[in-house]
Amino acid sequence: MDSILVTGNGPLNGQIPIAGAKNACLTLMPATLLSEEPLTLTNAPRLSDIKTMTALLQSLGAEVSALQDGQVIAMSSHDLTSQTADYDIVRKMRASNLVLGPLLARFGQAVVSLPGGCAIGARPMDLHVEGLEALGAEIELKDGYLHAKAPGGLKGAVHEMRFASVGATENIVMAATLAKGTTVLKNAAREPEIVDLVECLRKMGAQISGEGTSTIEIQGVDCLHGATHQVVTDRIELGTYMLAPAICGGEVELLGGRMSLVSSFVEKLEAAGVSVSETEKGLKVARKNGRVRAVDVVTEPFPGFPTDLQAQMMALMCTAEGTSVLEERIFENRFMHAPELTRMGAQIEVHGGTATVTGVEQLKGAPVMATDLRASVSLILAGLAAEGETTVSRVYHLDRGYEHVVRKLEGVGAKIERIKGE
Ligand code: EPZ
């Protein structure tokens, strides 16, 4: 297994290009199942999760080709041969469950493995099931698989979700595009990735309004046609790299960044003493004078502070002046980066869903282990600011969600290299 060696090397300066959003691409790809005409995505990120979704769609009989070094994904679901998403693929990536709604809508049946838990939590699918059952689906759990059917087709309905689940919103919206009649989804998730999905579905002929608000209305249509869609910028990669000059000092321009994608995160950065400004190419982030100030963070559904930036923000708070309290309200076990940061001299106390961080003057490099996707990059950020060398092991987690990390950080002056493992 490869590892990444980071050596603290002072302030960072330059530009970092931000890729298309992993979490948008992972819901846009299953949308191809809704139509027998081709769907093409541009600005796609080159990530192992995208490869996993590709393999899943191909296992269903879809044609999926990665063109232009993976930045374009050309798909066709004209001749599907299966409606079963096997456990061996779904267990690797929870987002595989996003084929459930489209398969049910187009074919009236689907068999999708439950993803099982993952490092950050149990991650059940009850909200997906409740929403699809509201549209008339009959779903039963057998041998770890959800067996879903809608023999007479799905029917529009008014449904309020108990929690604004991102994935459940995506599954229900995709299913509703081909249901008979109108669906009103209340307490819908508002993430930019859902707005991007709806914009793509609209290009395919879907009739949807309200995306980005808590109420999304979908008028079912008989069929959807093909389209070409550009994947929205990845706000989590954006926020992650905004923290690099924040934790090291210096000034970095994030190409393709937009303030609207990260507004609550920017509020916290500015409160900590980091300056963020819009340029015509993206966002410029600078920290000139000394340590940042400690700020408190509570993770919430969009537009609140993103849970996917909590681990990275904790790394910054480990170097801040003062004490910060980070409350993780979305997942039940998303502080696994804390003991690894502690090995670097951080002072962190975790009690249930709350971590209290007392900033230290200087973190010290150490060998640490990545436990999940966002924890891996949190450790790299800490290593950039630490004195001496930090080796982050198990970087396969990193490859799921960040393309060319070494190249992007080297480009702004970081001392970082990937060490080939056995
Ligand atoms: C999406 O996961 C993202 N993944 C996650 O990003 C992100 O952390 C999460 O949304 C929250 O923003 C993709 O988009 C592929 P949820 P998702 O359904 O859809 C509970 C990353 O690092 N829940 O909003 O699975 C669930 O257990 C990943 O890129 C139920 O209880 O998130 C969790 O505690 C990590 N029942 C909370 O809701 C359900 O049926 C949020 O889950 C569904 C979810």
Side-chain angles (χ1 to χ4, degrees):
M1 278 185 267
D2 290 5
S3 57
I4 287 201
L5 173 64
V6 192
T7 308
N9 193 35
L12 302 177
N13 290 285
Q15 296 179 324
I16 296 179
I18 302 300
K22 165 179 86 77
N23 290 348
C25 205
L26 289 175
T27 188
L28 290 164
M29 290 176 76
T32 185
L33 300 170
L34 290 166
S35 169
E36 55 182 42
E37 296 182 18
L39 175 61
T40 301
L41 302 176
T42 61
N43 192 39
R46 280 67 61 92
L47 303 167
S48 60
D49 270 9
I50 303 305
K51 292 195 171 80
T52 304
M53 182 60 81
T54 297
L56 172 60
L57 293 175
Q58 288 171 338
S59 76
L60 301 174
E63 288 166 38
V64 184
S65 322
L67 313 170
Q68 293 175 35
D69 184 29
Q71 279 213 299
V72 172
I73 302 175
M75 300 174 285
S76 165
S77 300
H78 187 272
D79 306 315
L80 287 196
T81 53
S82 158
Q83 281 89 43
T84 297
D86 283 335
Y87 176 58
D88 60 340
I89 295 186
V90 178
R91 69 180 169 77
K92 275 190 282 190
M93 184 183 66
R94 173 184 172 82
S96 307
N97 65 16
L98 293 172
V99 301
L100 176 59
L103 286 173
L104 200 45
R106 173 121 173 262
F107 300 100
Q109 63 171 24
V111 178
V112 175
S113 167
L114 275 182
C118 76
I120 62 176
R123 307 189 75 183
M125 281 190 62
D126 51 333
L127 298 171
H128 298 244
V129 169
E130 285 165 20
L132 295 171
E133 284 177 338
L135 298 182
E138 292 156 23
I139 303 178
E140 62 165 334
L141 175 61
K142 218 164 52 186
D143 313 325
Y145 281 78
L146 290 176
H147 292 256
K149 54 180 187 301
L154 297 171
K155 289 175 193 57
V158 178
H159 177 67
E160 178 156 3
M161 290 202 297
R162 288 181 287 117
F163 173 81
S165 154
V166 171
T169 299
E170 290 161 348
N171 252 330
I172 297 164
V173 165
M174 285 193 280
T177 58
L178 296 178
K180 290 182 188 62
T182 302
T183 296
V184 178
L185 182 60
K186 296 182 175 178
N187 197 22
R190 300 170 54 190
E191 275 69 4
E193 293 74 36
I194 289 169
V195 172
D196 204 41
L197 171 64
V198 169
E199 286 172 359
C200 178
L201 292 171
R202 200 174 281 131
K203 287 177 190 167
M204 296 169 72
Q207 291 179 26
I208 308 178
S209 59
E211 69 278 10
T213 75
S214 302
T215 302
I216 299 177
E217 185 164 317
I218 306 107
Q219 314 286 344
V221 294
D222 292 340
C223 69
L224 294 180
H225 48 73
T228 296
H229 180 75
Q230 179 179 309
V231 180
V232 68
T233 301
D234 191 322
R235 63 193 170 96
I236 305 304
E237 189 194 24
L238 171 61
T240 301
Y241 285 122
M242 289 171 75
L243 284 163
I247 202 167
C248 294
E251 183 174 280
V252 172
E253 184 176 26
L254 294 310
L255 306 179
R258 290 205 318 265
M259 203 65 98
S260 59
L261 291 170
V262 284
S263 47
S264 61
F265 174 68
V266 169
E267 266 171 47
K268 288 296 175 184
L269 277 193
E270 290 179 330
V274 178
S275 77
V276 182
S277 55
E278 287 198 296
T279 68
E280 72 271 12
K281 288 186 193 161
L283 294 180
K284 184 171 282 188
V285 177
R287 191 204 89 199
K288 297 250 193 295
N289 41 9
R291 288 167 73 183
V292 297
R293 291 184 293 274
V295 293
D296 293 343
V297 167
V298 176
T299 65
E300 293 173 309
F302 195 87
F305 190 99
T307 174
D308 293 348
L309 286 174
Q310 177 259 108
Q312 300 90 312
M313 189 68 176
M314 187 185 284
L316 178 65
M317 291 296 102
C318 289
T319 68
E321 203 145 11
T323 297
S324 72
V325 176
L326 294 98
E327 193 183 335
E328 172 55 57
R329 287 192 181 165
I330 305 294
F331 289 103
E332 60 266 38
N333 183 32
R334 205 172 195 177
F335 286 139
M336 287 169 294
H337 41 285
E340 300 300 315
L341 290 166
T342 304
R343 290 174 47 75
M344 300 175 70
Q347 289 179 17
I348 308 169
E349 273 184 49
V350 174
H351 297 289
T354 300
T356 303
V357 180
T358 304
V360 296
E361 183 85 36
Q362 179 68 63
L363 292 172
K364 301 275 187 291
V368 290
M369 185 181 80
T371 50
D372 61 83
L373 166 56
R374 305 306 176 180
S376 57
V377 77
S378 159
L379 298 170
I380 288 177
L381 288 169
L384 290 172
E387 186 180 73
E389 290 188 348
T390 298
T391 303
V392 181
S393 61
R394 302 195 176 185
V395 288
Y396 58 84
H397 290 291
L398 198 66
D399 297 334
R400 295 190 54 178
Y402 291 91
E403 61 173 45
H404 306 314
V405 174
V406 170
R407 185 195 306 172
K408 290 188 176 188
L409 286 171
E410 265 181 336
V412 291
K415 212 166 163 202
I416 181 171
E417 60 180 298
R418 188 170 182 129
I419 314 284
K420 275 270 164 261
E422 60 286 348

